[in-house]
Amino acid sequence: MDTQDLKRDAQDLKNKADRINPQHKEGPVASAIEDYTSRIPSDIFLWAALGSMAVSATLKIMKKDEEALFVGQWAPSFLLLGNYNKMIKLVGYQSDK
């Protein structure tokens, strides 16, 4: 397969995707989630991440290594959710309605 075939396949795939959702609108589930999460203050997610790091550090000091790892891995998820929340607020979840 050469470069031209790859470009043609990529363009065909893009054309198919554009025909599936030509208005680029979110579905009802995503809209409901965005409506709910846009009401949550952004700093809640930051405090949740910091709290999970503090609990993780405390568990590590208490020699509960597995629990510390488990709780410590929540922080990136909270920060990612906070980032999503901020984007929804800045861009606006209703801009595609």
Side-chain angles (χ1 to χ4, degrees):
M1 191 175 260
D2 65 352
T3 305
Q4 292 297 342
D5 290 337
L6 288 174
K7 286 181 182 179
R8 187 171 45 258
D9 289 345
Q11 187 61 41
D12 289 343
L13 186 60
K14 182 186 177 306
N15 291 337
K16 287 179 186 177
D18 288 343
R19 286 192 299 268
I20 290 173
N21 188 3
Q23 292 83 22
H24 303 287
K25 292 192 175 196
E26 294 291 345
V29 173
S31 294
I33 291 170
E34 290 169 359
D35 179 39
Y36 179 75
T37 58
S38 68
R39 299 177 196 167
I40 301 172
S42 297
D43 57 342
I44 293 292
F45 296 102
L46 178 61
W47 286 111
L50 292 172
S52 71
M53 287 186 272
V55 169
S56 176
T58 303
L59 288 168
K60 186 72 172 170
I61 291 169
M62 295 170 58
K63 305 286 189 214
K64 296 185 177 189
D65 293 343
E66 290 182 13
E67 292 87 349
L69 285 173
F70 177 69
V71 174
Q73 290 177 357
W74 297 352
S77 298
F78 286 131
L79 293 173
L80 185 62
L81 288 169
N83 189 21
Y84 177 77
N85 184 33
K86 184 61 89 173
M87 287 185 341
I88 292 303
K89 288 180 178 179
L90 292 176
V91 175
Y93 72 95
Q94 294 187 358
S95 64
D96 64 347
K97 291 184 179 180

